[in-house]
C-alpha cells in the first residue's frame, strides 16, 4: 500500500452536491488540520497542532483549509525555504514551497486538492514570482494535478531539510506565478 489515494485519472467525481470553500486557516481549524495530518503521517495531534500554530504566526508561512459547511475536509501549507552556502550543492533552491496537501479520505477525488493548491498559489503570487513543490514519483495524482497547474520538473537529484523521500524516489518541481493565480 502506497499511502496515496487510489489513482483513477479517467474518473471525474467533482460533482460533490456540497459547496467547498477554501480560505486561510484560523486557530479554530488547527485541531481538525492536526487530526488530518496525524491520520496520514502519524505522531501526536498536540505536537502537530503546536507546529501549525507556529505556522499561523510566521509571515513566511501560509496554511489553507478546505471546508464543506463548517467541517475542515482538507489542509495544505506553504513554507519559505532558505538555502545557505553551507548546504550541499543539491539542496533545493531558496523560495516558497507547497507542503502537506492532505484531504480527508471521504472527500478525495473531488477537486479539493486542486482548490487548495490554487489557493496556496494565489497567496504565494502576492509574494513571489515562482513556487516550488516536491513529490514522490509514485504519487501520480499529485504529479498530474501540479502539471495541470503549470509545474515543471527541475530535478530528481535534490535534498530538502526534513524531506522524508528516499534518494531517487522524489522530484522537485517549479511553477511560474502571476498575480491572477
Amino acid at each position: 500500500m502506497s499511502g496515496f489515494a487510489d489513482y483513477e485519472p479517467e474518473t471525474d467525481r467533482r460533482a460533490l452536491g456540497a459547496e467547498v470553500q477554501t480560505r486561510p486557516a484560523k486557530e479554530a481549524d488547527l485541531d481538525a488540520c492536526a487530526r488530518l495530518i496525524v491520520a496520514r503521517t502519524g505522531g501526536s495531534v498536540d505536537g502537530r497542532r503546536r507546529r501549525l500554530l507556529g505556522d499561523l504566526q510566521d509571515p513566511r508561512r501560509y496554511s489553507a483549509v478546505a471546508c464543506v459547511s463548517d467541517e475542515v475536509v482538507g489542509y495544505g501549507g506553504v513554507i519559505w525555504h532558505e538555502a545557505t552556502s553551507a548546504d550541499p550543492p543539491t539542496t533545493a533552491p531558496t523560495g516558497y514551497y507547497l507542503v502537506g496537501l492532505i484531504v480527508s479520505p471521504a472527500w478525495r477525488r473531488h477537486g479539493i486538492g486542486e482548490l487548495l493548491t490554487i489557493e496556496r498559489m494565489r497567496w504565494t503570487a502576492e509574494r513571489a514570482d515562482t513556487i516550488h513543490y516536491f513529490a514522490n514519483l509514485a504519487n501520480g495524482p499529485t504529479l498530474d494535478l501540479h502539471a495541470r497547474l503549470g509545474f515543471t520538473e527541475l530535478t530528481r537529484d535534490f535534498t530538502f531539510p526534513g524531506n522524508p523521500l528516499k534518494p531517487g524516489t522524489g522530484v522537485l518541481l517549479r511553477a511560474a506565478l502571476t498575480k491572477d493565480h
Side-chain angles (χ1 to χ4, degrees):
M1 171 130 192
S2 71
F4 306 123
D6 291 340
Y7 186 37
E8 299 171 1
E10 301 304 317
T11 303
D12 184 5
R13 294 189 246 170
R14 291 177 190 248
L16 293 171
E19 186 174 339
V20 178
Q21 298 204 350
T22 58
R23 60 170 171 74
K26 300 181 275 191
E27 191 170 345
D29 301 322
L30 298 185
D31 285 337
C33 293
R35 284 192 299 275
L36 282 172
I37 295 166
V38 168
R40 171 85 184 265
T41 64
S44 154
V45 170
D46 288 339
R48 183 57 71 170
R49 187 187 191 290
R50 281 191 298 278
R51 283 189 267 170
L52 290 168
L53 182 59
D55 290 348
L56 285 184
Q57 297 166 346
D58 185 335
R60 289 186 134 180
R61 291 181 177 237
Y62 179 63
S63 298
V65 294
C67 299
V68 175
S69 299
D70 291 332
E71 178 188 2
V72 173
V73 298
Y75 160 83
V78 178
I79 63 169
W80 175 258
H81 163 68
E82 185 89 32
T84 70
S85 59
D87 289 330
T90 57
T91 298
T94 294
Y96 284 103
Y97 284 75
L98 296 174
V99 295
L101 179 62
I102 298 178
V103 175
S104 173
W107 289 95
R108 290 183 184 157
R109 302 296 173 260
H110 293 292
I112 292 171
E114 183 171 353
L115 292 172
L116 282 165
T117 301
I118 290 167
E119 168 60 16
R120 294 178 297 152
M121 291 174 75
R122 180 208 55 77
W123 180 87
T124 306
E126 295 172 1
R127 292 153 180 81
D129 58 1
T130 60
I131 191 165
H132 298 85
Y133 178 70
F134 55 87
N136 188 312
L137 288 164
N139 191 345
T142 198
L143 294 174
D144 284 354
L145 165 66
H146 289 83
R148 282 194 315 272
L149 296 175
F151 283 81
T152 58
E153 183 174 329
L154 282 179
T155 185
R156 295 179 183 201
D157 182 22
F158 71 100
T159 59
F160 191 91
N163 177 2
L165 297 174
K166 294 178 178 133
T169 64
V171 59
L172 178 62
L173 308 155
R174 176 177 59 203
L177 297 172
T178 60
K179 298 298 180 208
D180 62 337
H181 253 107

